[in-house]
Amino acid sequence: MSEPAPISVILADNHALVLEGLRSLISAEEDIHVLATASDGERLLDAVKRFNPDVVITDLQMEYLDGLGCLTQIRQLCPQTRVLILTAYTDGQTMQSVLRSGADGLLLKTDPPEQAIQAVRQVMAGQLVFPAAARRWLHQAPAPTPTVTLSERELEVLELLAAGHTNAQIGKKLHVSVNTVKFHLQNIYQT
């Protein structure tokens, strides 16, 4: 039996130090291969077209086209590519906009570096990756005119996900199947 192909990744950040740090960290993993790096949105989209990666990790704020703008175009170019948004912003508005955009996850630049590696593997396993900091905005009073309406069960799933639980752990805690957890996550995406 042959080894599974490594997870192919493209990295994008407008800060050379962050980009090089991520590249070095991820390149050290045997099961993940960095195909290319990009310092702005245009270069990222060029690399995605050329390499068709499994995962893209992109900074939220970049020149020419930001991370969410890139996400929209990546979904059209390569719908199967998972996209992780990288940001230094931990405010609820940023987290909500990333979740609403249909990103596969959010990485905070303040998180431990190993979290990026874990996140790549998690999104490849079909999990939504959201940092523990997301719990802050989950518990805040609702905005005067909420734009996203999640069911009570969807909020429970999202809260457990933000706490770092896997789909299987969430299913066990909520006494539902993993497929039911995935169904709730799909509904959250489409909201």
Side-chain angles (χ1 to χ4, degrees), residues 36-169:
T37 60
S39 57
D40 63 55
E42 285 182 359
R43 287 188 174 106
L44 170 59
L45 292 176
D46 287 344
V48 168
K49 286 177 201 169
R50 196 166 348 134
F51 295 111
N52 194 11
D54 295 320
V55 179
V56 167
I57 299 177
T58 179
D59 192 8
L60 184 61
Q61 300 212 327
M62 291 186 297
E63 291 183 14
Y64 305 116
L65 190 61
D66 69 9
L68 296 182
C70 287
L71 170 65
T72 302
Q73 292 194 34
I74 290 168
R75 290 287 184 243
Q76 293 168 355
L77 294 167
C78 303
Q80 80 292 347
T81 296
R82 273 64 167 215
V83 180
L84 290 165
I85 301 291
L86 181 65
T87 185
Y89 301 103
T90 59
D91 61 286
Q93 187 175 1
T94 298
M95 291 189 191
Q96 287 177 359
S97 68
V98 169
L99 182 62
R100 267 190 243 115
S101 72
D104 295 291
L106 177 70
L107 292 171
L108 298 177
K109 290 183 179 182
T110 55
D111 284 341
E114 308 78 48
Q115 196 129 357
I117 295 166
Q118 184 180 354
V120 168
R121 292 179 180 134
Q122 286 175 315
V123 296
M124 282 305 294
Q127 297 176 13
L128 179 66
V129 177
F130 235 70
R135 280 180 270 168
R136 282 191 217 123
W137 67 262
L138 282 173
H139 294 296
Q140 290 175 348
T145 52
T147 54
V148 174
T149 306
L150 298 177
S151 71
E152 190 173 320
R153 180 60 85 175
E154 289 166 342
L155 283 171
E156 289 173 331
V157 169
L158 190 56
E159 188 172 345
L160 289 168
L161 192 65
H165 296 288
T166 65
N167 291 358
Q169 291 168 331

